[in-house]
Amino acid sequence: MIESFLEWLGATPWSVALLESLYVWPLIESVHVLTIALFVGTAVMMDLRLLGFAFKKVPASAFTERLLPWTRAGFVLSFVTGLLVFYSQPVRYYHNVFFRIKVLALILAGLNVWLFHSKIHRRISQWDLNPVPPRAARVAGMVSIFAWALVVVTGRMIAYNWFDCDLQPQPDFVNWLAGCVVEAGVE
Amino acid sequence: MLLPFFEWCESTVIASTIQNSLWLFPVIEAVHLLGLCLLGGSILLVDLRLMGFGLTRQSASELNRQVRPWLLLAVIVMITTGVPLFLSEAIKCYYNRSFWVKITTLPLALAFTFLVRNRIANSDSETAYINAATGATSVALWFVVAAAGRWIGFS
């Protein structure tokens, strides 16, 4: 069902026009990369504070109150441009191993954000001025750096077709991960 | 005149090693992108402050001092990954307009950051328009470097 929906999506005139465009696609992709530098960059600055690696004299709340809006703005822009890139070739990305890992990493990063704000950040007044925040905050900072780095690396790798379904034979594991349907005897 | 130099670059062992590998270029490029994020964050933190946004309750000099090791780390990562990427496709870069935009703006951005902006941030000047102009110039220069860098792959 997902498959036929994505096939329909990729055949819509806007999707085809986007993929075939000379400048619009590269422009969207450039905005995607630059806004990632904005949002991951500012998120990492906050993570370094949560880990106690830097800005030890700056209250942690300064980051969540004053810098986070910029992180959010960067995220929204990179998410929207990312959706547009996906819309230009939905079936290909859906079956791309790196895209699938990236989505999982995004979910991990999102859960971490949710856990941080619903639990750890609520008690920020208790540790706002600590040079090294409590363990839970440090773990959140570490998970954040790891998850966003994985998003960036796998995102870049989507461009490579090494594990695409039409490049057979592939190990069974790869075909399972990419959701490829390989007919027996057909290569 | 410069073409022989670019040809020599592409004949180096580093260049041919990357060219002959399926995964070396993508992996180095991925690290280059991670460095870009760290660079973006550590540059913007001070630029935003100078323009009156972000961590405004801290002084520019304090932020500048605390972020400096991370800024230096980011610059080192960018150069140590950027140089081999360039070597592996030096001749393509020679004919690539975006490459020339990037490579001429980069020294300007570096010089502005470490010579001009550094001094302005450390002086904690009260003159808002000087701070704002400094932050905006830095953002603009680094934006051109990053955007032209991304565009090398498109043209």
Side-chain angles (χ1 to χ4, degrees), chain B residues 24-138:
Chain B
L24 257 178
F25 190 93
V27 167
I28 299 173
E29 198 173 44
V31 179
H32 197 62
L33 271 179
L34 291 175
L36 173 72
C37 292
L38 187 61
L39 183 73
S42 43
I43 286 283
L44 278 169
L45 196 75
V46 176
D47 285 349
L48 288 173
R49 171 64 185 84
L50 288 172
M51 292 188 287
F53 302 114
L55 306 183
T56 42
R57 262 171 268 160
Q58 284 66 39
S59 67
S61 61
E62 190 191 343
L63 291 179
N64 188 42
R65 197 178 58 247
Q66 301 224 34
V67 85
R68 199 172 166 84
W70 303 95
L71 174 62
L72 291 174
L73 175 67
V75 170
I76 290 167
V77 170
M78 292 312 270
I79 291 173
T80 50
T81 52
V83 169
L85 289 174
F86 158 72
L87 291 175
S88 76
E89 48 175 35
I91 296 170
K92 174 196 154 180
C93 287
Y94 179 81
Y95 294 106
N96 188 303
R97 187 167 303 191
S98 303
F99 169 79
W100 288 106
V101 172
K102 173 172 182 172
I103 215 67
T104 47
T105 316
L106 179 59
L108 293 177
L110 284 171
F112 185 81
T113 302
F114 288 101
L115 299 176
V116 180
R117 193 188 74 152
N118 197 41
R119 220 165 281 175
I120 305 271
N122 285 342
S123 73
D124 284 326
S125 159
E126 307 254 312
T127 325
Y129 76 89
I130 291 183
N131 289 338
T134 306
T137 307
S138 169

Side-chain angles (χ1 to χ4, degrees), chain A residues 29 34 41 54-55 62 66 156, chain B residues 29 37 54-56 66 146 150:
Chain A
E29 165 66 18
L34 291 178
F55 315 109
R66 303 282 309 169
R156 172 63 257 197
Chain B
E29 198 173 44
C37 292
L55 306 183
T56 42
Q66 301 224 34
R150 169 62 271 205

Side-chain angles (χ1 to χ4, degrees), chain A residues 31-32 35-36 38-39 69-83:
Chain A
V31 174
H32 188 61
T35 50
I36 285 175
L38 167 64
F39 106 75
W70 294 88
T71 313
R72 287 207 185 98
F75 179 79
V76 168
L77 283 170
S78 61
F79 196 81
V80 170
T81 48
L83 283 179

